Amino acid sequence: MRLNPAKAFEYALVPHGDDGRRVRGIIAHCGAYGCNNVATVPVNTQSNSTGNDDEIEFKFISRKLERMGWQIGHVRYQHRCPKCLSIVKFDNKVEAKKNGAQPMKVVENTRVMSREDRRIIFDKLNQVYVDDAVGYGAGWTDEKVATDLGVPRAWVRVIREENFGDEVANEDIRKKLNEATALLAEMKQIEPDVRQWLALLDKTEKQLAEIQKVFK
C-alpha cells in the first residue's frame, strides 16, 4: 500500500517555537469514537509530489507522532492518541489478569471501530441498558455485551459512556449490595450474643478437660 500523507493527515499552518510563528505542517486527529484529541507536527520540507517524497514525508511525520505517544495508521480514522491507547492497554491488562494470560500488545493494525460497529453496539445497548439510574438490565455488563457482539470491551465502554450512563448502576449489583448491607446489620445486632456463646463454649470445653483428667 502506497503511503500518502494527504490521506492520513490534514495539512495546515501549525505553531512552531515560542514566538507564535506558524509554519507548514500537519494536524493528526484521533480516530477513536468520541475523541477530539489532535496533535500537530511542523513539516518544513516541500514535497515534489512524487511517490517517494510522499512516503518519506509520511514516515517522517509518523516517527514524530509516535515519539509523542501516538499510534499512526495509514488513513485518518486509524490514528489513536495516547489517552485512547492507554484505555485499550488498561482493558487488555484487566482481561489478562482475569484470564491469567499476558497482556496483548497494541500494534499498528489494531482493529478500528467502524461506523457499522458503532451502530450495532448502540442498538444492543439500547436493548439491554435500562437507564442511567438503573444501569444494565439483569445479567448484562460491558463484558457480556462485548462477548455477545464479538467486539472489544473498550468499544462497548466508549459507546455506553457517551450515550447511556455508568456500567455499575446494575440492578443485580444494587440488589446484592442491599442484601449484604442488611446481613451486616443483622450480624452486628447478634454480635454480643455470639461473643457470650463463644465464652460459654470455651468455659465448657475447659471443664470437660478437667473432668477427663480425673478419670485417667
Side-chain angles (χ1 to χ4, degrees):
M1 179 179 179
R2 185 179 295 278
L3 301 175
N4 187 343
K7 292 183 178 180
F9 311 108
E10 175 187 348
Y11 279 92
L13 294 177
V14 300
H16 182 60
D18 298 328
D19 56 359
R21 181 167 53 95
R22 290 181 173 271
V23 299
R24 175 182 179 270
I26 62 90
I27 301 174
H29 297 265
C30 180
Y33 179 75
C35 182
N36 297 315
N37 287 341
V38 298
T40 60
V41 173
V43 183
N44 294 322
T45 56
Q46 294 292 334
S47 171
N48 292 324
S49 300
T50 67
N52 288 338
D53 287 337
D54 284 344
E55 294 205 12
I56 291 171
E57 187 157 281
F58 181 94
K59 291 177 180 179
F60 169 80
I61 296 168
S62 296
R63 284 195 296 268
K64 286 274 190 179
L65 290 166
E66 286 165 358
R67 284 197 289 267
M68 295 162 62
W70 281 64
Q71 176 180 290
I72 302 303
H74 291 161
V75 292
R76 299 186 185 190
Y77 66 84
Q78 292 178 341
H79 307 326
R80 292 294 181 271
C81 69
K83 179 181 177 181
C84 291
L85 283 177
S86 68
I87 293 175
V88 175
K89 290 177 181 177
F90 175 78
D91 282 342
N92 285 341
K93 288 180 181 178
V94 171
E95 290 300 320
K97 187 175 181 180
K98 286 165 53 178
N99 299 327
Q102 291 295 320
M104 295 182 295
K105 292 183 179 179
V106 179
V107 295
E108 185 171 339
N109 63 349
T110 299
R111 186 178 172 188
V112 175
M113 180 165 49
S114 68
R115 184 178 290 105
E116 181 65 13
D117 290 324
R118 294 170 187 167
R119 184 191 64 76
I120 292 172
I121 295 170
F122 183 91
D123 287 346
K124 185 65 178 182
L125 288 173
N126 211 28
Q127 296 172 25
V128 301
Y129 196 93
V130 181
D131 55 43
D132 57 358
V134 176
Y136 275 112
W140 288 97
T141 62
D142 282 359
E143 185 172 359
K144 184 170 181 180
V145 172
T147 301
D148 185 69
L149 297 178
V151 300
R153 186 162 64 90
W155 293 6
V156 177
R157 182 172 70 176
V158 168
I159 303 301
R160 172 183 52 73
E161 289 179 348
E162 290 289 334
N163 301 280
F164 294 89
D166 294 332
E167 176 184 22
V168 294
N170 185 293
E171 189 175 3
D172 287 345
I173 294 175
R174 288 176 183 273
K175 182 178 178 181
K176 291 177 182 178
L177 179 61
N178 290 336
E179 290 174 351
T181 302
L183 180 60
L184 181 61
E186 290 179 8
M187 291 176 66
K188 286 183 177 180
Q189 287 179 353
I190 66 173
E191 183 180 5
D193 295 334
V194 172
R195 288 180 181 273
Q196 185 177 359
W197 183 81
L198 289 173
L200 180 61
L201 178 62
D202 183 61
K203 181 179 179 180
T204 303
E205 287 180 341
K206 289 179 179 179
Q207 288 176 342
L208 286 172
E210 292 296 328
I211 293 172
Q212 287 173 349
K213 288 180 182 178
V214 173
F215 289 98
K216 284 184 179 180

